[in-house]
Amino acid sequence: DRVSINVGGVRHETYKSTLKNIPDTRLSWIAEASAGAADFDPSTGEYFFDRHPGVFANVLNYYRTGKLHCPLDVCGPLFEDELGFWGIDDQQVESCCWLTYRQHRDAQETLAAFEGVEFENEYEDDEEPDLGRYGFNFAAESEPDKTWWERYQPRIWTLMEEPHSSTLAKVIAYTTLTLILVSVGIFCLESMEKFSEKYLKDLLVILEGICVVWFTLELMVRFVFCPAKCEFFKKIMNWIDFLAIVPFYVSLGFNNNNNDIDALMIIRLIRIFRIFKLSRHSSGLQILGHTLRASFRELLLLIFFLLIGVVLFASLIFYCEKKIPGTKFVDIPSSFWWAVVTMTTVGYGDMAPQSPSGKFIGSLCAVCGVLTIALPVPVIVNNFSLYYSHAQARLKLPKKRRR
């Protein structure tokens, strides 16, 4: 009743009844097959499979115990391929090993998200950008029967999307980066009284106009030569680019004597969105953005805990301090500010309890705030570390293997 199975040079023996424990799998077919099966070697009296022997030990143990565990010394994709070969559903992986097994899928999703993070990478001299992922047929560029548009659309689009695809692309990328910094600097300098003088103010307006013209041309070129117009509108960074230039053109229709000066100030305030344009050229900012997106549930949990604490301690401090002469805790909504500042351990000192019971509540609020914030923060930090390590791994992969 015993059967011998040789996997990658390692011999395993078990009972046919054991192989029948998981039906409709490759090993269960062995138990039901005759001695003349294709994988059976009559000279050695065993079945031979040229597969990973280490993984097979875990597979065979699954038939014996009914519990499928993932080996720690095997890459996730390899284990997944082996399960597919033996006909085992990966949903049967035990909960203790599920996160380890899922890590490779999370890594692949992360690397896919950082597909465009190539600002810090150099192309080899004989390496061309991969235009296939943009929907272009690169070979078609050199075909003589192609129109001007079909030949140059991929080149110009690559010029804007792949900063290190050529020397000109580098110049464009660094020029954009410089003008972003200049534009943000102008936004800050405008608030200084010294720059309210006419000649300085006019100088800032001219510099602002130069920046906006460049950003406008960049956005228009990227839109015109984009291979997928619908996908272009779905990207948040393109909307940020649009919001960064709109205030300048809207403000041209206003003047200082206009009654809508408040609306003008709000519109001009939108210019601060330009600082987010830096993320197009910074892998670090993109990592931070993906981290916040991946940690959305943890952030909601943090806000939920804070809301509970704010309502609870604001109510307690109000009833403890409302009879104190000159108290600033005049009502519960006014105490929300104190609760938020205390729970986040900022402590501005503009509102402070005076009674012993109020100080006791304040102490509890501070301690609970530390514990509340400390609970989800490690998860967010771990996500950032995961995304950063995956992004760095992609950036440092050999150039020929990255595409």
Side-chain angles (χ1 to χ4, degrees), residues 370-392:
V370 171
L371 296 176
T372 299
I373 295 176
L375 291 176
V377 165
V379 179
I380 300 175
V381 173
N382 289 337
N383 286 338
F384 180 84
S385 178
L386 177 67
Y387 273 76
Y388 182 80
S389 61
H390 288 163
Q392 292 301 310

Side-chain angles (χ1 to χ4, degrees), residues 91-102:
Q91 301 294 324
Q92 302 302 319
V93 175
E94 292 296 310
S95 58
C96 59
C97 298
W98 181 252
L99 291 179
T100 303
Y101 172 70
R102 283 282 306 183

Side-chain angles (χ1 to χ4, degrees), residues 13 20 79 84 90 247 262 268 319 358 377:
E13 289 191 4
K20 295 179 181 179
F79 186 66
D90 61 356
D262 292 336
R268 293 179 67 85
Y319 285 104
V377 165

Side-chain angles (χ1 to χ4, degrees), residues 104-244:
H104 77 281
R105 293 184 181 176
D106 296 337
Q108 290 173 347
E109 294 173 359
T110 303
L111 293 179
F114 286 98
E115 185 72 30
V117 185
E118 298 175 328
F119 195 78
E120 301 173 8
N121 271 2
E122 298 284 350
Y123 285 94
E124 300 291 344
D125 294 336
D126 59 344
E127 184 180 5
E128 293 286 353
D130 178 22
L131 300 178
R133 62 192 177 96
Y134 294 129
F136 293 116
N137 184 1
F138 186 77
E141 287 191 43
S142 57
E143 296 181 9
D145 58 338
K146 294 299 178 182
T147 63
W148 178 93
W149 176 262
E150 293 173 330
R151 289 198 306 269
Y152 287 96
Q153 183 191 13
R155 294 185 181 277
I156 298 178
W157 174 253
T158 306
L159 202 66
M160 308 302 296
E161 288 295 314
E162 301 280 359
H164 281 277
S165 60
S166 64
T167 301
L168 181 58
K170 294 178 185 179
V171 172
I172 293 175
Y174 283 112
T175 301
T176 301
L177 185 61
T178 302
L179 291 180
I180 291 173
L181 296 177
V182 171
S183 177
V184 174
I186 293 173
F187 177 80
C188 298
L189 292 176
E190 285 180 346
S191 63
M192 299 177 62
E193 184 177 356
K194 180 179 179 179
F195 287 88
S196 61
E197 299 178 10
K198 188 178 187 308
Y199 75 98
L200 290 177
K201 188 174 182 179
D202 292 342
L203 177 61
L204 293 182
V205 171
I206 293 174
L207 293 176
E208 174 77 5
I210 295 174
C211 295
V212 171
V213 169
W214 178 270
F215 297 150
T216 303
L217 290 176
E218 180 195 27
L219 183 62
M220 291 178 61
V221 169
R222 294 181 62 252
F223 173 73
V224 171
F225 291 92
C226 177
K229 299 296 190 294
C230 293
E231 294 298 325
F232 184 88
F233 288 105
K234 293 180 181 179
K235 293 184 177 180
I236 185 64
M237 286 306 304
N238 294 328
W239 284 103
I240 291 178
D241 292 344
F242 177 74
L243 291 176

